[in-house]
Amino acid sequence: MFCGRAPSTVSREVAANGCATGYRAWHAAERARRRATRPKRAKLAVWPRLRRVVEHGLRQRRSPQQSSARLRADYPEDLTMHVSHETIYQSVFVQGRGALRHALAGSLRTGRTPRRPQGRAVGTGRLQHMVMISDRPAEAVDRAVPGHWEGDLLLGQRGQSAVGTLVERSSRFVMLRRLPNGRLAEHVRKALARRIRTVPEHLRRSLTWDQGQEMAQHRSFTVATGVQVYFCDPRRPWQRGTNENTNGLLRQYLPRNADLSALNQARLDTIARDLNRRPRHTLGWQTPAACFAKAVAMTD
């Protein structure tokens, strides 16, 4: 029942991270992340002698791993002269921890200035005020009521261009939206809000999205459209299965190596129309367009 964990372990976890509404895994993970945050200054900023030795090693074209290992060998008893290679990388590349001069990045073997650090992501954070998919109404889960949507960004070549995709869960009706200004949260919010407001109000019930930063302004989106946004659990693409399947079909028109910014909205509407006119086995060989038209004709 507890996946091999002792009942006492589970009890302590629930007592430490539960809340008035019960135990939520995402809430517990967020509390653990906050507790793990290091408020103290970076070690290379605290110990000037250590910093000078590390800088000398970088100028000698030593890798951070080599510098870290050499320090442990040269100063086995002096813990103030021990530093991990990850800390050296962080101090070179992350401005907030800038104990080492940024110019030293050029001394690294790759010569690269950007780097994706290991461990916690830098510059990315959990979206605020998310409503999780577990709280989505049952009518959205069983597709009994139209008006519940799934959404995503379809990326082009090297992730430098994107198209917004919206798929209605019960009819599989797809709408596409061009993102000419980029895929920052503000651009995505405005573009998708304009698109979804083109459908009748009774077909604007909810939108399910992943936890990408492009949906950081989800509350403003909800205020503008009346559409509540629900978020999938991390690394659970099947929770937006309809949208994932539709994105696979869209790759016939919008391949991964394409520059999607070159497409105008008229072309995207044509692609969506082609998909919406395809008979679907899941719809009893009706088309998404026909099923959506029936939903449009419905009233609450």
Side-chain angles (χ1 to χ4, degrees):
M1 179 177 179
F2 295 132
C3 301
R5 301 292 184 182
S8 59
T9 300
V10 177
S11 177
R12 285 194 300 271
E13 171 64 17
V14 172
N17 293 310
C19 58
T21 58
Y23 181 85
R24 298 281 186 181
W26 69 266
H27 182 262
E30 174 64 12
R31 292 191 63 182
R33 185 192 67 78
R34 288 199 301 266
R35 287 196 299 268
T37 301
R38 291 166 54 100
K40 64 183 181 182
R41 296 175 64 198
K43 188 171 185 178
L44 287 164
V46 174
W47 300 101
R49 181 179 170 219
L50 173 61
R51 183 171 65 251
R52 287 194 297 270
V53 174
V54 170
E55 287 181 347
H56 177 74
L58 290 175
R59 292 194 191 94
Q60 297 300 312
R61 301 291 178 177
R62 290 181 183 176
S63 71
Q65 289 90 340
Q66 289 172 336
S67 292
S68 177
R70 190 68 255 173
L71 283 165
R72 291 179 181 274
D74 292 343
Y75 306 95
E77 304 298 330
D78 188 353
L79 296 183
T80 66
M81 295 298 290
H82 294 185
V83 65
S84 71
H85 68 274
E86 182 62 29
T87 297
I88 298 175
Y89 274 122
Q90 291 277 346
S91 295
V92 171
F93 291 115
V94 183
Q95 292 182 357
R97 302 178 67 88
L100 298 177
R101 283 167 290 188
H102 189 71
L104 290 173
S107 298
L108 297 176
R109 290 175 180 173
T110 62
R112 291 182 287 110
T113 54
R115 176 180 184 264
R116 184 183 297 276
Q118 303 301 312
R120 298 185 198 93
V122 175
T124 62
R126 184 180 179 84
L127 300 185
Q128 299 298 307
H129 310 294
M130 288 190 296
V131 181
M132 302 306 294
I133 193 172
S134 57
D135 295 318
R136 192 173 63 177
E139 66 180 34
V141 178
D142 62 16
R143 305 176 191 268
V145 177
H148 297 282
W149 300 76
E150 296 177 11
D152 195 14
L153 296 187
L154 196 69
L155 302 183
Q157 188 176 32
R158 296 190 298 275
Q160 295 181 353
S161 57
V163 168
T165 67
L166 294 169
V167 187
E168 201 278 315
R169 282 176 53 80
S170 66
S171 66
R172 279 66 168 183
F173 186 83
V174 60
M175 297 193 301
L176 304 178
R177 183 65 191 183
R178 185 169 177 256
L179 298 170
N181 299 317
R183 54 190 179 99
L184 296 178
E186 180 181 8
H187 305 146
V188 172
R189 171 181 60 81
K190 291 180 178 179
L192 294 185
R194 284 195 296 268
R195 196 58 174 165
I196 205 164
R197 281 198 297 257
T198 63
V199 305
E201 186 175 356
H202 71 278
L203 294 180
R204 289 186 262 137
R205 299 179 186 274
S206 75
L207 172 63
T208 302
W209 204 273
D210 62 23
Q211 295 188 28
Q213 290 293 314
E214 69 275 1
M215 195 48 71
Q217 297 188 7
H218 60 94
R219 293 211 296 181
S220 296
F221 174 84
T222 297
V223 170
T225 63
V227 178
Q228 175 64 57
V229 181
Y230 296 95
F231 289 92
C232 297
D233 297 314
R235 295 176 295 280
R236 299 293 188 275
W238 57 86
Q239 293 180 344
R240 291 181 301 103
T242 301
N243 191 252
E244 289 288 311
N245 177 263
T246 300
N247 284 352
L249 299 177
L250 285 169
R251 285 302 185 189
Q252 295 178 288
Y253 304 89
L254 307 172
R256 297 181 186 278
N257 61 354
D259 179 10
L260 303 184
S261 64
L263 299 175
N264 58 31
Q265 187 60 50
R267 173 57 181 159
L268 294 178
D269 290 342
T270 298
I271 293 172
R273 186 163 54 248
D274 284 351
L275 278 187
N276 291 331
R277 290 176 175 175
R278 287 189 189 183
R280 302 288 183 88
H281 183 267
T282 54
L283 300 175
W285 300 113
Q286 297 185 70
T287 67
C291 293
F292 192 73
K294 294 178 183 177
V296 170
M298 293 171 55
T299 58
D300 289 337

